[in-house]
Amino acid sequence: MPSEAADARPPGQSPKPTPDQTPPPDAGPAGPPGPPGGPAPDAAEEAASRRARPWTLGLVCVAMFMLMLDVTVVNVALPELRTSLDAGFSDLQWVIDSYTLTLAAFLLTGGSLADRLGRKRVFTVGLVVFTLSSLVAGLAQDVLALNLARGVQGVGAAVLFSVGPALIGHEFRGKDRGMAFGLFGAVAGLALAFGPLVGGLLTDALSWRWIFLVNVPIGVAALLAGAVHLRESRQPQAHRVDWWGMVAFAASLTLLVLGFLRGESSGWTSGPILAAFAGALVLMIAFVAIERHLGERAMFDLSLLRIPTFGGICVATFLSNATSLAAVFLQISYIQNVLGFSPWETGLRLMPMMLTLFVVAALTGGLLQTMPPGLLVGLSIGFIAAGMGLVTLVEPDSSWTALLPSMVVTGIGMGLFNPPRAAVTIGVVPPEKAGMASGMGETFQQVGVAVGIAAFGALFHHRVTDAFAASDAGGQLGDRAHEVGTAVAAEGQGQAVADVPADLADPVAEAARTAFVSGLTDVMALCAAVCALGAVVAFAFIRRRDLHASAREGADAEGAPGPDTAPVPA
């Protein structure tokens, strides 16, 4: 592997070109080099590549805009979904997790299929699936139909997530690649930034259905443009799809998330919940065994995890996403269910975080070639952890402005994070293996989202219910205290007050607000600690010298720290 070869050199010695890395005598300086071992592109190939680059970047960014919009646009519409479809707290978690579960399960398969069948072809299929399932989700008449449609939507999103960065990696090299990923991250930040606002506007002005239906015209336009302007690329030696590995992985994740989502209502020590967690563990062990047996034919190349940078970025990504997206989910619930703001008003109040995220993401591309990647990723996750820690400043009688310090600091961290995460993930492998590496990296990201929302959501639900039941108002309700506490966790004090006698309305409302805020700050403190661990992992394990030559070209050429001189963050 390139990283092993680099590590085998004596310290300080510059890398010597191997025969398959030496450019032919007639290779000109212009244009991106071909894959290692291949000839330099001729003039026609270079001209075709130059024409394709803006379209490739534009279409990948459009697809990413839709995918990331669906992350935050759904959150602000959850109270309306609950009312319209008569959904419970766990049903609302499934609206998010049914999407992220299938997304995580099919990411690796999407990358493998793209390498084997052609990235343009598979990207197009993913766009069709995502667009059609968005239409079905927008027309759903009950929460089960919505969650099934969201699951299919996750399959399409998985393909787009895994193939998009690989398409960029195929067309761009060196400094241009860094700038392309910077713009890619900025667009993702733009979608995250305006997702709550767009979701609030569509929900208040039209209905929650339009948060899904809006994807349809965008998807159709992207399909037409992609058919004409995207270039095909594939890995001719790609192996067959690892179906058994995919099934074991998907089943393990489903049981794990199901256990978290149903643990509070069924009892954490009940037979079904213990069986779900045990099954998840057994199936994950089976998945690892399958991948080890298949070796190079596996969809999950376990050997990549032995590269410190790749293993580090995967673990850091998992911990960051498990905490940050759960934090957003719970803070939106607080703004709507406790402070009583509408979806549109909630979107407006999230703008400080989201606009900060967008601006920082737009500026981060230029840092990819000038800062050690471990330092950049570690700082970004550190900011996210600090931002979540600042949520503990919220008190039961606070206004929404108490969240402003947290929003700004978290926005800085989230804006810094995505561009280097995407670049480092595919940067450790040659361009022809970018599909698999991208799929693996995105898998850790989406598994983090699914597990984080399920686990931290379950913990929040438990803490709020117990805090309310232990309050004086809960004591006056007697046997109904736990039932009302469950309503507080799901819907805030409004529904709790509606279900109690009039003479208890005021003390129940006060106890409900106090319990909700107590549960929120407790869970945010834990999220901050877990996220900080991700920053430590990034500082310790992500190193520039592990990157493939194609990812280091621009930095080394411009005098930025190269593979032998880059400081390794301790």
Side-chain angles (χ1 to χ4, degrees), residues 53-64:
R53 285 175 203 164
W55 283 102
T56 300
L57 181 58
L59 288 168
V60 170
C61 286
V62 166
M64 181 57 59

Side-chain angles (χ1 to χ4, degrees), residues 112-185:
S112 298
L113 281 172
D115 288 342
R116 182 178 177 82
L117 301 178
R119 289 162 187 156
K120 173 182 176 178
R121 178 184 301 176
V122 174
F123 184 84
T124 301
V125 171
L127 197 53
V128 169
V129 171
F130 184 84
T131 303
L132 290 178
S133 57
S134 295
L135 176 62
V136 175
L139 300 176
Q141 298 301 308
D142 57 58
V143 73
L144 176 60
L146 173 61
N147 285 333
L148 290 175
R150 288 281 286 168
V152 177
Q153 193 182 35
V155 175
V159 173
L160 299 176
F161 261 120
S162 61
V163 182
L167 286 170
I168 293 176
H170 174 75
E171 297 290 359
F172 293 87
R173 297 286 189 275
K175 181 181 179 181
D176 288 341
R177 177 186 280 185
M179 297 306 294
F181 275 115
L183 181 59
F184 174 77

Side-chain angles (χ1 to χ4, degrees), residues 178-241:
M179 297 306 294
F181 275 115
L183 181 59
F184 174 77
V187 169
L190 180 66
L192 287 172
F194 288 97
L197 204 61
V198 171
L201 176 62
L202 292 174
T203 302
D204 280 354
L206 299 170
S207 83
W208 62 265
R209 298 183 183 279
W210 282 94
I211 66 177
F212 303 114
L213 295 177
V214 72
N215 292 329
V216 176
I218 299 174
V220 171
L223 281 168
L224 295 175
V228 177
H229 296 289
L230 279 182
R231 292 204 309 160
E232 188 60 280
S233 64
R234 60 171 56 85
Q235 182 184 355
Q237 297 80 25
H239 299 290
R240 289 182 297 179
V241 176

Side-chain angles (χ1 to χ4, degrees), residues 11 32 49 57 61 126 137 144 173 250 268 286 302 360 381 515 549 558:
S49 177
L57 181 58
C61 286
L144 176 60
R173 297 286 189 275
W268 292 102
L302 295 175
V360 173
I381 300 177
E558 296 182 6

Side-chain angles (χ1 to χ4, degrees), residues 42 45 72 122 127 170 207 212 274 340 407 409 453 455 481 511-512 542 567:
D42 57 22
E45 171 71 11
T72 51
V122 174
L127 197 53
H170 174 75
S207 83
F212 303 114
L274 293 178
M407 288 182 180
V409 175
I453 288 177
I542 298 176

Side-chain angles (χ1 to χ4, degrees), residues 14-393:
S14 301
K16 296 181 179 180
T18 58
D20 65 342
Q21 294 172 324
T22 304
D26 59 345
D42 57 22
E45 171 71 11
E46 170 62 13
S49 177
R50 287 189 181 278
R51 287 193 300 270
R53 285 175 203 164
W55 283 102
T56 300
L57 181 58
L59 288 168
V60 170
C61 286
V62 166
M64 181 57 59
F65 184 87
M66 288 195 299
L67 304 182
M68 298 307 291
L69 190 70
D70 267 29
V71 172
T72 51
V73 77
V74 172
N75 280 303
V76 296
L78 289 179
E80 297 295 326
L81 278 167
R82 183 185 64 231
T83 302
S84 175
L85 301 179
D86 193 24
F89 185 77
S90 63
D91 292 325
L92 298 181
Q93 289 174 286
W94 271 118
V95 172
I96 298 174
D97 274 347
S98 59
Y99 176 77
T100 53
L101 266 178
T102 52
L103 200 163
F106 281 87
L107 270 169
L108 295 172
T109 302
S112 298
L113 281 172
D115 288 342
R116 182 178 177 82
L117 301 178
R119 289 162 187 156
K120 173 182 176 178
R121 178 184 301 176
V122 174
F123 184 84
T124 301
V125 171
L127 197 53
V128 169
V129 171
F130 184 84
T131 303
L132 290 178
S133 57
S134 295
L135 176 62
V136 175
L139 300 176
Q141 298 301 308
D142 57 58
V143 73
L144 176 60
L146 173 61
N147 285 333
L148 290 175
R150 288 281 286 168
V152 177
Q153 193 182 35
V155 175
V159 173
L160 299 176
F161 261 120
S162 61
V163 182
L167 286 170
I168 293 176
H170 174 75
E171 297 290 359
F172 293 87
R173 297 286 189 275
K175 181 181 179 181
D176 288 341
R177 177 186 280 185
M179 297 306 294
F181 275 115
L183 181 59
F184 174 77
V187 169
L190 180 66
L192 287 172
F194 288 97
L197 204 61
V198 171
L201 176 62
L202 292 174
T203 302
D204 280 354
L206 299 170
S207 83
W208 62 265
R209 298 183 183 279
W210 282 94
I211 66 177
F212 303 114
L213 295 177
V214 72
N215 292 329
V216 176
I218 299 174
V220 171
L223 281 168
L224 295 175
V228 177
H229 296 289
L230 279 182
R231 292 204 309 160
E232 188 60 280
S233 64
R234 60 171 56 85
Q235 182 184 355
Q237 297 80 25
H239 299 290
R240 289 182 297 179
V241 176
D242 176 13
W243 295 111
W244 285 111
M246 185 198 74
V247 170
F249 186 73
S252 175
L253 282 181
T254 300
L255 288 176
L256 179 63
V257 170
L258 182 65
F260 281 123
L261 292 181
R262 297 298 182 189
E264 182 68 19
S265 59
S266 299
W268 292 102
T269 58
S270 65
I273 298 304
L274 293 178
F277 287 133
L281 178 61
V282 170
L283 285 167
M284 187 55 66
I285 292 172
F287 170 72
V288 173
I290 291 169
E291 302 310 282
R292 288 177 62 88
H293 173 72
L294 291 177
E296 291 186 355
R297 294 173 294 153
M299 69 176 186
F300 198 109
D301 187 354
L302 295 175
S303 66
L304 286 180
L305 296 177
R306 293 198 292 268
I307 302 174
T309 293
F310 191 81
I313 193 66
C314 287
V315 173
T317 295
F318 174 86
L319 295 175
S320 173
N321 278 268
T323 52
S324 60
L325 271 296
V328 171
F329 174 79
L330 294 176
Q331 288 178 65
I332 288 176
S333 179
Y334 166 72
I335 294 172
Q336 291 186 311
N337 293 329
V338 173
L339 300 183
F341 290 110
S342 70
W344 166 252
E345 293 168 337
T346 300
L348 285 175
R349 280 155 182 79
L350 288 172
M351 291 306 291
M353 175 170 65
M354 299 307 182
L355 287 177
T356 302
L357 185 160
F358 171 63
V359 171
V360 173
L363 298 174
T364 301
L367 300 176
L368 296 178
Q369 300 295 329
T370 59
M371 288 182 65
L375 179 61
L376 188 55
V377 175
L379 282 175
S380 68
I381 300 177
F383 273 111
I384 295 172
M388 288 186 290
L390 289 172
V391 177
T392 58
L393 298 176

